[in-house]
Amino acid sequence: MANKLGLETAETAIVNAGKGRLAEGAGRSLAGRVAGGMVSESVLQEPPQSTPEQMWQNHAEGKDISDGVARAGVEGAIAGGVMGAGDNIRGRRTEG
Protein backbone atom coordinates (compact mmCIF):
# COMPACT_ATOMS: atom_id res chain seq x y z
CA MET A 1 0.00 0.00 0.00
CA ALA A 2 2.79 2.42 0.91
CA ASN A 3 4.59 1.76 -2.35
CA LYS A 4 1.42 2.46 -4.35
CA LEU A 5 1.20 5.83 -2.60
CA GLY A 6 4.78 6.59 -3.61
CA LEU A 7 6.16 6.27 -0.09
CA GLU A 8 9.49 4.76 0.86
CA THR A 9 9.19 2.03 3.48
CA ALA A 10 11.95 0.65 5.66
CA GLU A 11 12.05 -2.44 3.48
CA THR A 12 12.35 -0.57 0.18
CA ALA A 13 14.95 1.76 1.67
CA ILE A 14 17.11 -1.23 2.58
CA VAL A 15 16.65 -2.88 -0.82
CA ASN A 16 17.37 0.34 -2.69
CA ALA A 17 20.29 1.46 -0.51
CA GLY A 18 23.14 2.47 -2.74
CA LYS A 19 21.09 2.02 -5.91
CA GLY A 20 19.94 4.67 -8.29
CA ARG A 21 19.04 8.21 -7.53
CA LEU A 22 16.21 10.00 -5.81
CA ALA A 23 13.09 10.53 -7.86
CA GLU A 24 11.81 14.00 -8.64
CA GLY A 25 9.32 13.96 -5.78
CA ALA A 26 6.62 11.35 -5.44
CA GLY A 27 3.73 13.61 -6.33
CA ARG A 28 3.54 14.74 -2.72
CA SER A 29 5.11 17.43 -0.62
CA LEU A 30 7.80 16.59 1.90
CA ALA A 31 5.27 16.91 4.72
CA GLY A 32 2.84 14.63 2.87
CA ARG A 33 5.49 11.97 2.27
CA VAL A 34 6.74 12.10 5.87
CA ALA A 35 3.23 11.94 7.33
CA GLY A 36 2.21 9.16 4.96
CA GLY A 37 5.30 7.12 5.76
CA MET A 38 4.74 7.62 9.47
CA VAL A 39 1.13 6.42 9.26
CA SER A 40 2.00 3.51 6.99
CA GLU A 41 4.66 2.11 9.31
CA SER A 42 3.07 3.04 12.65
CA VAL A 43 -0.43 1.78 11.85
CA LEU A 44 -0.27 -0.73 9.03
CA GLN A 45 3.00 -2.53 9.62
CA GLU A 46 4.52 -2.49 13.07
CA PRO A 47 1.63 -3.05 15.54
CA PRO A 48 0.22 -6.03 13.58
CA GLN A 49 3.73 -7.49 13.68
CA SER A 50 4.75 -6.56 17.24
CA THR A 51 1.65 -7.73 19.06
CA PRO A 52 1.57 -11.34 17.79
CA GLU A 53 5.32 -11.60 18.34
CA GLN A 54 4.82 -10.63 21.99
CA MET A 55 1.96 -13.10 22.33
CA TRP A 56 4.07 -15.94 20.93
CA GLN A 57 6.96 -14.95 23.18
CA ASN A 58 4.61 -15.05 26.18
CA HIS A 59 3.33 -18.47 25.13
CA ALA A 60 6.89 -19.79 24.76
CA GLU A 61 7.80 -18.51 28.24
CA GLY A 62 4.62 -19.84 29.87
CA LYS A 63 3.34 -16.37 30.72
CA ASP A 64 -0.17 -14.98 30.38
CA ILE A 65 -0.56 -14.51 26.63
CA SER A 66 -1.68 -10.88 26.98
CA ASP A 67 1.25 -9.82 29.18
CA GLY A 68 2.95 -6.78 27.61
CA VAL A 69 1.03 -6.99 24.33
CA ALA A 70 -0.30 -3.43 24.50
CA ARG A 71 3.16 -2.08 25.26
CA ALA A 72 4.68 -4.05 22.37
CA GLY A 73 2.07 -2.58 20.02
CA VAL A 74 2.71 0.97 21.21
CA GLU A 75 6.48 0.60 21.04
CA GLY A 76 6.18 -0.92 17.57
CA ALA A 77 3.99 1.98 16.45
CA ILE A 78 6.45 4.56 17.77
CA ALA A 79 9.46 2.86 16.22
CA GLY A 80 7.58 2.34 12.95
CA GLY A 81 6.47 5.96 12.83
CA VAL A 82 10.02 7.20 13.26
CA MET A 83 11.34 4.82 10.59
CA GLY A 84 8.51 5.59 8.17
CA ALA A 85 8.93 9.33 8.55
CA GLY A 86 12.71 9.16 8.21
CA ASP A 87 12.57 6.99 5.12
CA ASN A 88 10.52 9.63 3.34
CA ILE A 89 12.58 12.69 4.19
CA ARG A 90 14.97 12.12 1.32
CA GLY A 91 12.24 11.19 -1.15
CA ARG A 92 11.48 8.08 -3.11
CA ARG A 93 14.33 6.26 -4.79
CA THR A 94 14.25 4.92 -8.28
CA GLU A 95 16.06 1.88 -9.52
CA GLY A 96 18.88 2.57 -11.87
Coordinates of all heavy atoms in Angstrom, one line a residue:
M1 N 0.8 -1.2 0.0 CA 0.0 0.0 0.0 C 0.9 1.3 0.0 O 0.6 2.2 -0.7 CB -0.9 0.0 1.2 CG -1.9 1.1 1.3 SD -3.0 0.9 2.6 CE -4.1 2.2 2.4
A2 N 1.9 1.3 0.8 CA 2.8 2.4 0.9 C 3.5 2.7 -0.4 O 3.6 3.8 -0.9 CB 3.8 2.2 2.0
N3 N 3.9 1.6 -1.1 CA 4.6 1.8 -2.3 C 3.7 2.3 -3.4 O 4.1 3.1 -4.3 CB 5.2 0.4 -2.8 CG 6.3 0.0 -1.9 OD1 7.0 0.8 -1.4 ND2 6.5 -1.3 -1.8
K4 N 2.4 1.9 -3.4 CA 1.4 2.5 -4.3 C 1.2 3.9 -4.1 O 0.8 4.7 -5.1 CB 0.1 1.7 -4.3 CG 0.2 0.3 -4.8 CD -1.1 -0.4 -4.8 CE -0.9 -1.8 -5.4 NZ -2.2 -2.5 -5.5
L5 N 1.4 4.4 -2.9 CA 1.2 5.8 -2.6 C 2.5 6.6 -2.9 O 2.5 7.8 -2.6 CB 0.8 6.0 -1.1 CG -0.6 5.5 -0.8 CD1 -0.8 5.5 0.7 CD2 -1.7 6.2 -1.5
G6 N 3.5 5.9 -3.3 CA 4.8 6.6 -3.6 C 5.6 6.9 -2.4 O 6.5 7.8 -2.4
L7 N 5.4 6.1 -1.3 CA 6.2 6.3 -0.1 C 7.3 5.2 0.0 O 7.1 4.1 -0.4 CB 5.2 6.1 1.1 CG 4.0 7.1 1.1 CD1 3.1 6.7 2.2 CD2 4.5 8.5 1.3
E8 N 8.4 5.7 0.6 CA 9.5 4.8 0.9 C 9.2 4.1 2.2 O 8.9 4.7 3.2 CB 10.8 5.6 0.9 CG 12.0 4.7 1.2 CD 12.8 4.5 -0.1 OE1 13.4 5.5 -0.6 OE2 12.9 3.4 -0.5
T9 N 9.3 2.8 2.2 CA 9.2 2.0 3.5 C 10.6 1.6 3.9 O 11.5 1.7 3.2 CB 8.3 0.8 3.3 OG1 9.0 -0.1 2.4 CG2 6.9 1.1 2.8
A10 N 10.7 1.1 5.2 CA 12.0 0.7 5.7 C 12.5 -0.5 4.8 O 13.7 -0.5 4.5 CB 11.8 0.2 7.1
E11 N 11.6 -1.3 4.3 CA 12.1 -2.4 3.5 C 12.6 -2.0 2.1 O 13.6 -2.4 1.7 CB 10.9 -3.4 3.3 CG 10.5 -4.2 4.5 CD 9.5 -3.4 5.4 OE1 9.1 -2.3 5.0 OE2 9.3 -3.9 6.5
T12 N 11.9 -1.0 1.5 CA 12.4 -0.6 0.2 C 13.6 0.3 0.3 O 14.4 0.3 -0.6 CB 11.3 0.2 -0.6 OG1 10.8 1.3 0.2 CG2 10.1 -0.7 -1.0
A13 N 13.7 1.0 1.4 CA 14.9 1.8 1.7 C 16.2 0.9 1.8 O 17.2 1.2 1.2 CB 14.8 2.6 2.9
I14 N 16.0 -0.3 2.4 CA 17.1 -1.2 2.6 C 17.5 -1.8 1.2 O 18.6 -1.9 0.8 CB 16.8 -2.3 3.6 CG1 16.7 -1.7 5.0 CG2 17.8 -3.5 3.5 CD1 16.1 -2.6 6.1
V15 N 16.4 -2.3 0.5 CA 16.7 -2.9 -0.8 C 17.3 -1.9 -1.8 O 18.2 -2.3 -2.5 CB 15.3 -3.4 -1.4 CG1 15.5 -3.8 -2.8 CG2 14.8 -4.6 -0.6
N16 N 16.9 -0.7 -1.7 CA 17.4 0.3 -2.7 C 18.6 1.1 -2.2 O 19.1 1.9 -3.0 CB 16.3 1.4 -3.0 CG 15.1 0.8 -3.8 OD1 15.3 -0.2 -4.5 ND2 14.0 1.3 -3.6
A17 N 19.1 0.8 -1.0 CA 20.3 1.5 -0.5 C 21.5 1.3 -1.5 O 21.8 0.3 -1.9 CB 20.7 0.9 0.8
G18 N 22.0 2.5 -1.8 CA 23.1 2.5 -2.7 C 22.8 2.3 -4.2 O 23.7 2.3 -5.0
K19 N 21.5 2.2 -4.5 CA 21.1 2.0 -5.9 C 20.4 3.3 -6.4 O 19.7 3.9 -5.7 CB 20.0 0.9 -6.0 CG 20.5 -0.5 -5.8 CD 19.3 -1.4 -5.7 CE 19.3 -2.4 -6.8 NZ 18.1 -3.2 -6.7
G20 N 20.7 3.6 -7.6 CA 19.9 4.7 -8.3 C 20.1 6.0 -7.7 O 21.0 6.4 -7.0
R21 N 19.1 6.8 -8.0 CA 19.0 8.2 -7.5 C 17.7 8.5 -7.0 O 16.7 7.7 -7.1 CB 19.4 9.1 -8.7 CG 18.4 8.9 -9.8 CD 19.0 9.6 -11.1 NE 18.1 9.3 -12.2 CZ 18.0 8.1 -12.9 NH1 18.8 7.2 -12.6 NH2 17.2 8.0 -13.9
L22 N 17.5 9.6 -6.3 CA 16.2 10.0 -5.8 C 15.3 10.5 -6.9 O 15.8 11.2 -7.8 CB 16.4 11.1 -4.8 CG 17.2 10.7 -3.5 CD1 17.3 11.9 -2.6 CD2 16.6 9.5 -2.8
A23 N 14.1 10.1 -6.8 CA 13.1 10.5 -7.9 C 12.8 12.0 -7.7 O 12.9 12.6 -6.6 CB 11.8 9.7 -7.7
E24 N 12.3 12.6 -8.7 CA 11.8 14.0 -8.6 C 10.5 14.0 -7.9 O 9.4 14.0 -8.5 CB 11.6 14.6 -10.0 CG 12.9 14.8 -10.8 CD 13.7 16.0 -10.2 OE1 13.1 16.9 -9.8 OE2 14.9 15.9 -10.3
G25 N 10.5 14.0 -6.6 CA 9.3 14.0 -5.8 C 8.5 12.7 -6.0 O 8.8 11.9 -6.9
A26 N 7.5 12.5 -5.3 CA 6.6 11.4 -5.4 C 5.2 11.8 -5.6 O 4.2 11.2 -5.3 CB 6.7 10.4 -4.2
G27 N 5.1 13.0 -6.2 CA 3.7 13.6 -6.3 C 3.2 14.2 -5.0 O 2.0 14.5 -5.0
R28 N 4.0 14.2 -4.0 CA 3.5 14.7 -2.7 C 4.6 15.7 -2.2 O 5.8 15.6 -2.5 CB 3.4 13.6 -1.7 CG 2.3 12.7 -2.0 CD 2.2 11.6 -1.0 NE 1.0 10.8 -1.2 CZ 0.1 10.7 -0.3 NH1 0.3 11.2 0.9 NH2 -1.0 10.0 -0.5
S29 N 4.2 16.5 -1.3 CA 5.1 17.4 -0.6 C 5.9 16.6 0.4 O 5.6 15.5 0.7 CB 4.3 18.5 0.1 OG 3.6 18.0 1.2
L30 N 7.0 17.2 0.9 CA 7.8 16.6 1.9 C 6.9 16.2 3.1 O 7.0 15.1 3.6 CB 8.9 17.5 2.3 CG 9.8 17.0 3.5 CD1 10.5 15.7 3.2 CD2 10.8 18.1 3.9
A31 N 6.1 17.2 3.6 CA 5.3 16.9 4.7 C 4.3 15.8 4.4 O 4.1 14.9 5.3 CB 4.5 18.2 5.1
G32 N 3.8 15.7 3.2 CA 2.8 14.6 2.9 C 3.5 13.3 2.9 O 3.0 12.3 3.3
R33 N 4.7 13.2 2.3 CA 5.5 12.0 2.3 C 5.9 11.5 3.7 O 5.7 10.3 4.0 CB 6.8 12.1 1.4 CG 6.5 12.2 0.0 CD 7.8 12.0 -0.8 NE 9.0 12.6 -0.3 CZ 9.4 13.9 -0.6 NH1 8.8 14.6 -1.5 NH2 10.5 14.4 0.0
V34 N 6.3 12.4 4.5 CA 6.7 12.1 5.9 C 5.5 11.6 6.7 O 5.6 10.6 7.3 CB 7.4 13.3 6.6 CG1 7.6 13.1 8.0 CG2 8.8 13.6 5.9
A35 N 4.4 12.3 6.6 CA 3.2 11.9 7.3 C 2.7 10.6 6.8 O 2.3 9.7 7.6 CB 2.2 13.0 7.2
G36 N 2.7 10.4 5.5 CA 2.2 9.2 5.0 C 3.1 8.0 5.4 O 2.6 6.9 5.7
G37 N 4.4 8.2 5.3 CA 5.3 7.1 5.8 C 5.1 6.8 7.2 O 5.2 5.6 7.6
M38 N 4.9 7.8 8.0 CA 4.7 7.6 9.5 C 3.5 6.8 9.7 O 3.5 5.8 10.5 CB 4.6 9.0 10.2 CG 4.5 8.9 11.7 SD 4.3 10.5 12.5 CE 5.9 11.2 12.1
V39 N 2.4 7.1 9.1 CA 1.1 6.4 9.3 C 1.2 5.0 8.7 O 0.8 4.0 9.4 CB 0.0 7.2 8.6 CG1 -1.3 6.3 8.5 CG2 -0.3 8.5 9.3
S40 N 1.9 4.8 7.6 CA 2.0 3.5 7.0 C 2.7 2.6 7.9 O 2.3 1.4 8.2 CB 2.7 3.6 5.7 OG 3.1 2.3 5.2
E41 N 3.9 3.0 8.4 CA 4.7 2.1 9.3 C 4.1 2.0 10.7 O 4.1 0.9 11.3 CB 6.1 2.6 9.4 CG 6.9 2.5 8.2 CD 7.4 1.1 7.9 OE1 7.5 0.3 8.9 OE2 7.6 0.7 6.7
S42 N 3.5 3.1 11.3 CA 3.1 3.0 12.6 C 1.7 2.4 12.8 O 1.3 2.0 13.9 CB 3.1 4.4 13.3 OG 2.1 5.3 12.7
V43 N 0.9 2.3 11.7 CA -0.4 1.8 11.9 C -0.5 0.5 11.1 O -1.0 -0.5 11.6 CB -1.5 2.8 11.3 CG1 -2.9 2.2 11.3 CG2 -1.5 4.0 12.2
L44 N -0.1 0.4 9.9 CA -0.3 -0.7 9.0 C 0.8 -1.8 9.2 O 0.5 -3.0 8.9 CB -0.3 -0.3 7.6 CG -1.4 0.8 7.2 CD1 -1.2 1.2 5.7 CD2 -2.8 0.2 7.5
Q45 N 2.0 -1.5 9.6 CA 3.0 -2.5 9.6 C 3.4 -3.0 11.0 O 3.4 -4.2 11.3 CB 4.2 -2.0 8.8 CG 3.9 -2.0 7.3 CD 5.1 -1.9 6.5 OE1 6.2 -2.3 6.9 NE2 5.0 -1.5 5.3
E46 N 3.9 -2.1 11.8 CA 4.5 -2.5 13.1 C 3.6 -3.1 14.1 O 3.9 -4.1 14.7 CB 5.4 -1.3 13.6 CG 6.6 -1.0 12.8 CD 7.5 -2.2 12.6 OE1 7.7 -3.0 13.5 OE2 8.0 -2.3 11.5
P47 N 2.5 -2.4 14.5 CA 1.6 -3.0 15.5 C 1.1 -4.4 15.2 O 1.1 -5.3 16.0 CB 0.5 -2.1 15.7 CG 1.1 -0.7 15.3 CD 2.0 -1.1 14.2
P48 N 0.7 -4.7 13.9 CA 0.2 -6.0 13.6 C 1.4 -7.1 13.6 O 1.1 -8.2 13.7 CB -0.3 -5.9 12.2 CG -0.7 -4.5 12.0 CD 0.3 -3.7 12.8
Q49 N 2.6 -6.6 13.6 CA 3.7 -7.5 13.7 C 4.2 -7.6 15.1 O 4.4 -8.8 15.6 CB 4.9 -6.9 12.9 CG 6.1 -7.8 12.9 CD 7.2 -7.2 12.1 OE1 7.0 -6.4 11.2 NE2 8.5 -7.5 12.4
S50 N 4.2 -6.6 15.9 CA 4.7 -6.6 17.2 C 3.8 -7.3 18.2 O 4.3 -8.0 19.1 CB 4.9 -5.1 17.7 OG 5.8 -4.4 16.9
T51 N 2.5 -7.1 18.1 CA 1.6 -7.7 19.1 C 1.6 -9.3 19.0 O 1.7 -9.9 20.0 CB 0.2 -7.1 19.0 OG1 -0.3 -7.2 17.6 CG2 0.2 -5.7 19.4
P52 N 1.5 -9.9 17.8 CA 1.6 -11.3 17.8 C 2.9 -11.9 18.2 O 3.0 -13.0 18.8 CB 1.3 -11.7 16.3 CG 0.7 -10.5 15.7 CD 1.2 -9.4 16.5
E53 N 4.0 -11.2 17.9 CA 5.3 -11.6 18.3 C 5.4 -11.7 19.9 O 5.9 -12.6 20.4 CB 6.4 -10.6 17.8 CG 6.7 -10.8 16.4 CD 7.7 -9.8 15.8 OE1 8.1 -8.9 16.6 OE2 8.1 -9.9 14.7
Q54 N 4.8 -10.6 20.5 CA 4.8 -10.6 22.0 C 4.0 -11.8 22.5 O 4.3 -12.4 23.5 CB 4.3 -9.3 22.5 CG 4.3 -9.2 24.0 CD 5.7 -9.2 24.6 OE1 6.6 -8.6 24.1 NE2 5.9 -10.0 25.6
M55 N 2.8 -12.0 21.9 CA 2.0 -13.1 22.3 C 2.7 -14.5 22.2 O 2.6 -15.3 23.1 CB 0.7 -13.1 21.5 CG -0.2 -11.9 21.8 SD -1.6 -11.7 20.7 CE -2.7 -12.9 21.3
W56 N 3.3 -14.7 21.1 CA 4.1 -15.9 20.9 C 5.2 -16.1 21.9 O 5.5 -17.1 22.4 CB 4.6 -16.1 19.5 CG 3.5 -16.5 18.5 CD1 2.9 -15.8 17.6 CD2 2.9 -17.8 18.5 NE1 2.0 -16.5 16.9 CE2 1.9 -17.7 17.5 CE3 3.0 -19.0 19.2 CZ2 1.1 -18.8 17.1 CZ3 2.2 -20.0 18.9 CH2 1.2 -19.9 17.9
Q57 N 5.9 -14.9 22.2 CA 7.0 -15.0 23.2 C 6.4 -15.3 24.6 O 7.0 -16.1 25.3 CB 7.6 -13.6 23.2 CG 8.8 -13.5 24.2 CD 10.0 -14.3 23.7 OE1 10.2 -14.5 22.5 NE2 10.7 -14.9 24.7
N58 N 5.3 -14.7 24.9 CA 4.6 -15.1 26.2 C 4.3 -16.5 26.2 O 4.5 -17.2 27.3 CB 3.4 -14.2 26.4 CG 3.7 -12.8 26.6 OD1 4.8 -12.4 27.0 ND2 2.7 -11.9 26.4
H59 N 3.7 -17.1 25.2 CA 3.3 -18.5 25.1 C 4.6 -19.4 25.3 O 4.5 -20.3 26.1 CB 2.7 -18.8 23.8 CG 2.4 -20.2 23.6 ND1 1.4 -20.9 24.3 CD2 2.9 -21.2 22.8 CE1 1.4 -22.2 23.9 NE2 2.3 -22.3 23.0
A60 N 5.7 -19.0 24.7 CA 6.9 -19.8 24.8 C 7.5 -19.8 26.2 O 8.1 -20.7 26.6 CB 7.9 -19.3 23.8
E61 N 7.3 -18.6 26.9 CA 7.8 -18.5 28.2 C 6.8 -18.9 29.3 O 7.1 -18.8 30.5 CB 8.2 -17.1 28.5 CG 9.4 -16.7 27.6 CD 9.8 -15.2 27.8 OE1 9.1 -14.5 28.5 OE2 10.8 -14.8 27.1
G62 N 5.6 -19.4 28.9 CA 4.6 -19.8 29.9 C 3.9 -18.7 30.6 O 3.4 -18.9 31.7
K63 N 4.0 -17.5 30.1 CA 3.3 -16.4 30.7 C 1.9 -16.2 30.2 O 1.5 -16.9 29.2 CB 4.1 -15.1 30.4 CG 5.5 -15.0 30.9 CD 6.1 -13.7 30.5 CE 7.6 -13.5 30.9 NZ 8.2 -12.3 30.4
D64 N 1.2 -15.3 30.9 CA -0.2 -15.0 30.4 C 0.0 -14.4 29.0 O 0.9 -13.5 28.8 CB -0.8 -13.9 31.3 CG -2.2 -13.5 30.8 OD1 -3.0 -14.4 30.3 OD2 -2.5 -12.3 30.9
I65 N -0.8 -14.9 28.0 CA -0.6 -14.5 26.6 C -0.7 -13.0 26.4 O -0.1 -12.5 25.4 CB -1.5 -15.3 25.7 CG1 -1.0 -15.3 24.3 CG2 -2.9 -14.8 25.8 CD1 -1.4 -16.5 23.5
S66 N -1.5 -12.3 27.2 CA -1.7 -10.9 27.0 C -0.7 -10.0 27.7 O -0.7 -8.8 27.6 CB -3.1 -10.5 27.4 OG -3.2 -10.7 28.8
D67 N 0.3 -10.6 28.4 CA 1.2 -9.8 29.2 C 2.2 -9.0 28.3 O 2.9 -9.5 27.4 CB 2.1 -10.8 30.0 CG 3.0 -10.1 31.0 OD1 2.6 -9.0 31.5 OD2 4.1 -10.6 31.2
G68 N 2.1 -7.7 28.4 CA 3.0 -6.8 27.6 C 2.6 -6.6 26.2 O 3.3 -5.9 25.4
V69 N 1.4 -7.1 25.7 CA 1.0 -7.0 24.3 C 0.7 -5.5 24.0 O 1.2 -5.1 22.9 CB -0.2 -7.9 24.0 CG1 -0.7 -7.7 22.6 CG2 0.2 -9.4 24.2
A70 N 0.0 -4.8 24.8 CA -0.3 -3.4 24.5 C 1.0 -2.6 24.4 O 1.1 -1.8 23.5 CB -1.2 -2.8 25.6
R71 N 1.9 -2.8 25.3 CA 3.2 -2.1 25.3 C 3.9 -2.4 24.0 O 4.5 -1.5 23.4 CB 4.0 -2.4 26.5 CG 5.3 -1.7 26.5 CD 6.1 -1.9 27.7 NE 7.4 -1.2 27.6 CZ 8.0 -0.7 28.6 NH1 7.6 -0.9 29.8 NH2 9.2 -0.1 28.4
A72 N 4.0 -3.7 23.6 CA 4.7 -4.0 22.4 C 4.1 -3.4 21.2 O 4.8 -2.9 20.3 CB 4.7 -5.6 22.2
G73 N 2.7 -3.3 21.1 CA 2.1 -2.6 20.0 C 2.4 -1.1 20.0 O 2.7 -0.5 18.9
V74 N 2.4 -0.5 21.1 CA 2.7 1.0 21.2 C 4.2 1.2 20.8 O 4.5 2.1 20.1 CB 2.4 1.5 22.6 CG1 2.9 2.9 22.8 CG2 0.9 1.5 22.9
E75 N 5.1 0.4 21.4 CA 6.5 0.6 21.0 C 6.7 0.3 19.6 O 7.5 1.0 18.9 CB 7.3 -0.3 21.9 CG 7.4 0.1 23.3 CD 8.2 -0.8 24.2 OE1 8.6 -1.9 23.8 OE2 8.4 -0.5 25.4
G76 N 6.1 -0.7 19.0 CA 6.2 -0.9 17.6 C 5.7 0.2 16.7 O 6.3 0.6 15.7
A77 N 4.6 0.8 17.2 CA 4.0 2.0 16.5 C 4.9 3.2 16.5 O 5.1 3.9 15.5 CB 2.6 2.4 17.0
I78 N 5.5 3.4 17.6 CA 6.5 4.6 17.8 C 7.7 4.3 16.9 O 8.1 5.2 16.1 CB 6.8 4.8 19.2 CG1 5.6 5.3 20.0 CG2 8.0 5.8 19.3 CD1 5.8 5.3 21.5
A79 N 8.3 3.2 17.0 CA 9.5 2.9 16.2 C 9.1 2.9 14.7 O 9.9 3.4 13.9 CB 10.0 1.5 16.6
G80 N 8.0 2.3 14.4 CA 7.6 2.3 12.9 C 7.3 3.7 12.4 O 7.7 4.1 11.3
G81 N 6.7 4.6 13.2 CA 6.5 6.0 12.8 C 7.7 6.7 12.6 O 7.9 7.5 11.6
V82 N 8.7 6.5 13.4 CA 10.0 7.2 13.3 C 10.7 6.7 12.0 O 11.2 7.5 11.2 CB 10.9 7.0 14.5 CG1 12.3 7.5 14.3 CG2 10.3 7.7 15.7
M83 N 10.7 5.4 11.8 CA 11.3 4.8 10.6 C 10.6 5.3 9.3 O 11.2 5.6 8.3 CB 11.3 3.3 10.6 CG 12.3 2.7 11.6 SD 12.5 0.9 11.5 CE 10.8 0.4 11.8
G84 N 9.3 5.2 9.3 CA 8.5 5.6 8.2 C 8.7 7.0 7.8 O 8.8 7.4 6.6
A85 N 8.7 7.9 8.8 CA 8.9 9.3 8.6 C 10.3 9.6 8.0 O 10.5 10.3 7.0 CB 8.7 10.1 9.8
G86 N 11.3 9.0 8.6 CA 12.7 9.2 8.2 C 13.0 8.7 6.8 O 13.7 9.3 6.1
D87 N 12.4 7.5 6.5 CA 12.6 7.0 5.1 C 12.1 7.9 4.0 O 12.5 7.8 2.9 CB 11.9 5.6 5.0 CG 12.6 4.5 5.7 OD1 13.8 4.7 6.0 OD2 11.9 3.5 6.0
N88 N 11.1 8.8 4.4 CA 10.5 9.6 3.3 C 11.1 11.0 3.3 O 10.6 11.9 2.5 CB 9.0 9.6 3.5 CG 8.4 8.4 3.0 OD1 8.2 8.2 1.8 ND2 8.1 7.4 3.9
I89 N 12.0 11.4 4.2 CA 12.6 12.7 4.2 C 13.4 12.9 2.9 O 13.3 14.0 2.3 CB 13.5 12.9 5.4 CG1 12.6 13.0 6.7 CG2 14.3 14.2 5.3 CD1 13.3 13.1 8.0
R90 N 14.1 12.0 2.5 CA 15.0 12.1 1.3 C 14.2 11.9 0.0 O 14.7 12.2 -1.0 CB 16.1 11.1 1.4 CG 17.1 11.5 2.5 CD 18.2 10.5 2.6 NE 18.8 10.2 1.3 CZ 19.5 9.1 1.0 NH1 19.7 8.2 2.0 NH2 20.0 8.9 -0.2
G91 N 13.0 11.4 0.1 CA 12.2 11.2 -1.2 C 12.3 9.8 -1.6 O 13.0 8.9 -1.0
R92 N 11.5 9.4 -2.6 CA 11.5 8.1 -3.1 C 12.6 7.8 -4.0 O 13.0 8.6 -4.9 CB 10.2 7.9 -3.9 CG 9.9 6.4 -4.1 CD 8.5 6.3 -4.7 NE 8.7 6.2 -6.1 CZ 7.8 6.2 -7.0 NH1 6.5 6.2 -6.6 NH2 8.0 6.1 -8.3
R93 N 13.2 6.6 -3.9 CA 14.3 6.3 -4.8 C 13.8 5.6 -6.0 O 12.8 4.9 -6.0 CB 15.3 5.3 -4.0 CG 16.0 6.0 -2.9 CD 16.9 5.1 -2.2 NE 17.5 5.8 -1.1 CZ 18.7 5.6 -0.7 NH1 19.5 4.8 -1.3 NH2 19.2 6.3 0.2
T94 N 14.6 5.7 -7.1 CA 14.3 4.9 -8.3 C 15.4 3.9 -8.5 O 16.5 4.1 -8.1 CB 14.1 5.9 -9.5 OG1 15.4 6.5 -9.7 CG2 13.0 6.9 -9.3
E95 N 15.0 2.8 -9.2 CA 16.1 1.9 -9.5 C 16.8 2.4 -10.7 O 16.3 3.0 -11.6 CB 15.4 0.5 -9.8 CG 14.8 -0.1 -8.6 CD 14.4 -1.5 -8.8 OE1 15.1 -2.2 -9.6 OE2 13.4 -1.9 -8.3
G96 N 18.1 2.1 -10.7 CA 18.9 2.6 -11.9 C 20.3 2.2 -11.8 O 21.0 1.8 -11.0

